[in-house]
Amino acid sequence: MNKSKNIKDVVQPTKWYSELPRKQYENYTKVGVYQNWFEVYRLPHNVYAIYESGHFQEVISFLILGKEKAMLLDTGLGMGNIKLVVEDLTELPVIVVNSHCHFDHIGDNYRFDNIYIYNDEGAISRAEKGLENCEVEENLVGDSTYIPYPIGFNPANYHIKPANKITVIEDGHVFDLGDRELIVKHTPGHSPDSIMLLDEKNSILFTGDTFYPAVLYAHLESSDNVNSVFDIYLQTMKELSNTIDVKYLYCSHNYPIVKGSKLKEAAKAFIDIKNGGLEFVEDSKGLKKYTFDEFCIVTK
Ligand SMILES: [Zn+2]
């Protein structure tokens, strides 16, 4: 029997920042804080987490080092200057990839010469047009940001600028960073263009927003049709749990590393929601939140 109780907002709890600093970060070497905004941590296997803890999304962009090149996976909120951070962390040539086209992953695309994105109509259109203030301003309301913005950032003018140039990639594309290969897995559901990157040698899956240890969004809709689709998300999770077996998931929100076995748990969670009968809470917009161990799922 479904039970629900009404709460105000299933996505952003009031005083979300009371959870900070998150304990998991004690496991990693803190490299520093850049522009009073980006916290940078050195993770195992030559990866840096560039963490924007001051904003509710707590987005994490990753700098992944190979022998010859580095990859920046996502460019963050676009409030600070992530390019300066990256230039301080590595002298290697850097290629830039978007895990998907949500605002908090593409904010600084415009600072780079070229961005690799998945071959999806909505993602291409968004990369070429950016997002206007009216499409992103709701992300700055209330207590969504709890530390001062980086110097020079004007929230009243917040928007996502277009990328200078894009290169589209398909499922199975391999990025060779020199002694480190990252294989693109198309994982639609959270958004049509979502990808993961598989680093088989190090047994790491970079999961983007398809899985992370927080509230997973299976409910998003936007005026430019970059929508979440629950049934597609479910299918993606089933396929992943049947085909991918890694030690670590490097995740794009809240804290960066969880055990690979969480993929199977997440797939089961989607299946259980589909089958019905789980408890959930519902908010004033009619969104339902289901809670599991270390993650939640929000659906319509
Ligand atoms: Zn997203």
Side-chain angles (χ1 to χ4, degrees), residues 6-7 46 83 106 110 125 148 181 201 205 218 241 272:
N6 286 333
I7 60 170
N46 284 321
K83 189 160 184 256
I106 64 170
Y110 77 98
S125 157
E181 288 189 345
K201 191 175 170 190
L205 184 67
S241 73
D272 288 348

Side-chain angles (χ1 to χ4, degrees), residues 100 102 105 190 209:
H100 65 302
H102 285 150
H105 300 260
H190 170 72
D209 273 8

